[in-house]
Amino acid sequence: MPEEPLSGDRCTVLHRSPAPDSPSAARAHVLGLCRRTDPARVDALLDLLDRVDRPAATADVPWDEELARAVVRVADDRFVPLLVRLCAAPRPVALVALDALAVLRPGPGAVRTLVAVFTGSVDDRRVHEAASRALVAAGPAAAAALVPSVPWTREADRRLRQSLAWFFGRADCGTDRAVRVLAEFLSDPCSRTRAEAAASLGLRGDPSAGPLLQRALAHPDERVRARAATALGRVGAYEAVERLRQSAAHDAFPTVRNAAAAALRALAAGQR
């Protein structure tokens, strides 16, 4: 049976109802409000979470994965501050919050927390990748915050550098800036980071990256050569046609030959 619409008086009562006095009651109340998404209940849920999240609140909400997913399903961007706080929760809840932030576009206010999660989670691949996606969604402020965090020393964490190479292929930070950062990563001592940088340069689509990518075609690691070949096709590097033909015909690895042949087809299609 459909639920009876709330009258104005019932909306006021619902919105101003007292906060639960125990964690279990708070959890049950939040779950109940999440099951309906009419505006009055969403407002009541926001009000309740705001009150119980204060230091002097009578009861804290005992956040777990089920409860976090219930709030995320409401799909209201006013929950972004709450989701940012939940990024520091235990792993299952943090993953739910990070995945939601990647969709809700959290904005600059979330950047400090997301950078902390990103740089501190390199040993947990799932959390690290989820934080990477959320940072891309956070917009230009994320790139500005991450540039000072790029570890340029050889002793720096390789996974972090690889993730940063992935990030700057997708970040909203201006192509010129991204290409400058990725050019540094293309000289990284780690072949995986170089390969990720080559792929990201292709995603940026800037023809000025052509000379960098041509040099990467001579890299001893076949993954770097294959990614560089694909990227040359994406950036429209017509000056690399002869180098790509040589790679397509003579490279020892089929992945590189296939990538070079596909890049040649892409360049030929772009000239039509």
Side-chain angles (χ1 to χ4, degrees), residues 29-123:
H29 198 168
V30 171
L31 279 175
L33 290 171
C34 287
R35 293 191 180 102
R36 296 290 186 273
T37 57
D38 60 86
R41 288 183 184 270
V42 174
D43 289 343
L45 179 59
L46 284 162
D47 178 68
L48 171 65
L49 291 174
D50 178 63
R51 284 182 287 149
V52 299
D53 197 43
R54 294 171 187 167
T58 308
D60 293 327
V61 175
W63 289 100
D64 56 25
E65 185 175 5
E66 179 190 11
L67 194 61
R69 290 192 183 281
V71 171
V72 167
R73 280 195 294 270
V74 177
D76 192 302
D77 58 10
R78 290 176 292 174
F79 289 107
V80 164
L82 168 66
L83 295 171
V84 171
R85 293 195 295 274
L86 292 181
C87 289
R91 185 177 189 271
V93 176
L95 282 171
V96 172
L98 289 166
D99 287 341
L101 288 171
V103 176
L104 290 173
R105 300 195 175 278
V111 166
R112 178 179 296 182
T113 298
L114 292 175
V115 168
V117 174
F118 174 78
T119 55
S121 62
V122 290
D123 293 328

Side-chain angles (χ1 to χ4, degrees), residues 207-212 214 232 235-244 267:
S208 70
L212 297 169
Q214 281 198 69
L232 284 165
V235 303
Y238 296 101
E239 71 280 4
V241 165
E242 186 55 38
R243 292 287 303 277
L244 287 168
L267 293 172

